[in-house]
Amino acid sequence: MSRMVIIGAAQLGPIARAETRSEVISRMVRLLRQAAELGVDLLVYPELALTTFFPRWYMEDEAELDLFFEAALPNPAVQPLFDAARALGIGLCFGYAERVDDGGNIRRYNTSIIVGKDGTILHKYRKVHLPGHAEHEPWRPFQHLEKRYFSPGMEGFSVASGFGGMLSQAICNDRRWPETYREAALQGAEVMLIGYNTPRHYPLAPEHDHLQDFHNHLCLQAGAYQNGMWVVAVAKAGCEEGCDLIGESCIIAPTGEIVAQTKTLADEVICYPCDLDRCGEIRKNIFNFKLHRRPEIYTHLTIR
Ligand code: CDV
C-alpha cells in the first residue's frame, strides 16, 4: 500500500447565524468537488464546520442552543456531504457540535470525526482543552462560552489507522498545548488533523491581537517538528457575525515547514501530497523517542 496520501484543507469563510445546514453543506460539497479535481484523498474542514461559531452568544434557552447541535451523524441534512464524498472516493474530517442523550442525561461536546472513503466513521475525537468561560461576561465584545456549552472530552487523544497511515485529531485550542501532539505521537500518529475558529481579538490580552497568526503557526509548526508528524490545520476564517477570525490554514511537513497555505479568508481548498514515510526523517533521528526521551525525569508530567 502506498504511503503517499494527498491531504486537502478546506478552509471555510464566515458562516452566518441564519445560514441553514443545507446551505453550509452545499458550500462544503463545492469544496469537495474542487478537491476531487486536485486528486485529494482526505479533505479536512474546520472546527464546528456545520454552523456559525455559536459560543460567541450567550443563550439560556436549551432549545435555541440545540439548533446548533447534531444528535446523530450522518443525519438527513448532512447526508449529501457523505454521499458526495463516497461517490468521489474522498475521505472527510470535520468538526461539529455533538449532543448525546444518555437515557435523559444530556451531554454536549465539541467533536470531530474522520470518515473513510467508504463513508464509515474511522475516528471520533472530543475536544479536551475547552477555552473561554462558563458565565455571561457582558464586558466582552463577544462571548466565548465553550466552557458553558461543552463538556471536555474525557477519552483523550487517540489514533486510528486509515489512508495508509496512523491518524489523530485535535480541535482548535488543543493545538496550543504540546501534550496534544506528544500524546498522539507516542501512539504512532503520523498525521494530526486540526480545525479551528480563532478570533483575531483576544479580550483578555488584546496587546497580543497582532500575534494571532504568528502564534497559530508557531504552535502548529513546533507540534509537527517536535513529533515528526504531518499537521493539517484548517480555519473558519473571515468576518463572521462581526467577529474577525484568522485564516492561514496550512499543511505542515514533519520537518516543521509549511508546504501549503491558504491565501484568502474565504472558502478555499489547498492540498499537498504527504509522504507518511517522511515522519521517519525526524522520528528516527533527532526525535527518536525510544533513544532520547527521558520520561523518568519528566516527573511533573508523569506523576500527578
Ligand atoms: N475555538 C477555540 O478554541 N479558540 C481559541 C481562542 C478562544 C483562543 C483558540 O485557541 O484559538
Side-chain angles (χ1 to χ4, degrees):
M1 188 186 280
S2 166
R3 297 269 294 159
M4 190 71 87
V5 50
I6 303 181
I7 306 184
Q11 177 176 283
L12 286 170
I15 298 177
R17 185 170 183 169
E19 219 164 315
T20 63
R21 291 287 195 291
S22 312
E23 287 169 325
V24 176
I25 292 294
S26 300
R27 286 170 57 182
M28 292 171 79
V29 170
R30 213 172 299 138
L31 294 173
L32 185 70
R33 295 200 190 287
Q34 288 174 25
E37 304 262 303
L38 299 168
V40 166
D41 295 298
L42 171 60
L43 187 61
V44 186
Y45 297 91
E47 172 191 34
L48 298 174
L50 307 180
T51 64
T52 196
F53 191 76
F54 61 88
R56 75 168 64 89
W57 291 289
Y58 178 69
M59 288 173 263
E60 286 183 344
D61 180 357
E62 294 222 351
E64 185 187 12
L65 180 63
D66 281 341
L67 294 175
F68 298 100
F69 282 75
E70 316 300 319
L73 268 188
N75 57 42
V78 179
Q79 191 65 48
L81 178 66
F82 279 70
D83 292 344
R86 194 170 165 187
L88 293 166
I90 300 180
L92 301 169
C93 171
F94 66 90
Y96 66 101
E98 179 191 14
R99 182 182 188 273
V100 179
D101 183 345
D102 190 4
N105 180 18
I106 306 298
R107 285 189 311 278
R108 297 180 179 82
Y109 298 101
N110 187 341
T111 299
S112 185
I113 51 170
I114 301 172
V115 182
K117 290 186 176 189
D118 63 355
T120 57
I121 294 175
L122 300 178
H123 189 246
K124 183 192 254 194
Y125 167 72
R126 290 172 174 156
K127 188 172 183 178
V128 166
H129 301 99
L130 294 174
H133 48 107
E135 299 305 327
H136 191 208
E137 296 186 3
W139 64 269
R140 292 173 182 257
F142 50 86
Q143 304 295 298
H144 198 109
L145 287 156
E146 286 197 60
K147 285 201 193 294
R148 181 180 191 86
Y149 299 144
F150 302 120
S151 301
M154 298 306 285
E155 299 87 357
F157 300 96
S158 58
V159 294
S161 69
F163 302 89
M166 295 296 275
L167 312 173
S168 187
Q169 301 183 87
I171 301 177
C172 196
N173 192 262
D174 291 323
R175 75 195 189 285
R176 303 183 191 273
W177 301 86
E179 295 86 354
T180 296
Y181 308 86
R182 184 53 56 86
E183 280 280 305
L186 288 170
Q187 297 168 73
E190 296 169 303
V191 185
M192 178 61 90
L193 308 175
I194 306 174
Y196 60 94
N197 283 261
T198 297
R200 183 162 300 286
H201 176 54
Y202 185 64
L204 297 176
E207 64 275 22
H208 294 165
D209 287 0
H210 68 291
L211 299 173
Q212 289 295 345
D213 290 313
F214 167 62
H215 286 160
N216 180 38
H217 285 173
L218 178 69
C219 54
L220 294 167
Q221 291 180 261
Y225 169 61
Q226 291 169 345
N227 296 281
M229 57 167 61
W230 291 90
V231 171
V232 181
V234 189
K236 170 117 72 53
C239 186
E240 187 177 86
E241 298 289 2
C243 179
D244 280 320
L245 301 172
I246 66 165
E248 299 202 340
S249 304
C250 57
I251 301 173
I252 302 168
T255 51
E257 295 161 285
I258 294 177
V259 293
Q261 185 178 316
T262 54
K263 294 185 177 64
T264 71
L265 295 174
D267 292 6
E268 181 180 346
V269 175
I270 54 169
C271 69
Y272 193 80
C274 302
D275 178 355
L276 304 187
D277 286 333
R278 288 200 60 200
C279 297
E281 288 174 25
I282 300 295
R283 286 222 200 137
K284 289 182 188 160
N285 299 312
I286 188 88
F287 288 116
N288 184 323
F289 290 167
K290 274 210 178 83
L291 280 185
H292 308 305
R293 268 187 91 242
R294 300 290 308 280
E296 70 280 12
I297 304 295
Y298 313 149
T299 51
H300 291 87
L301 282 178
T302 53
I303 301 169
R304 297 204 129 189

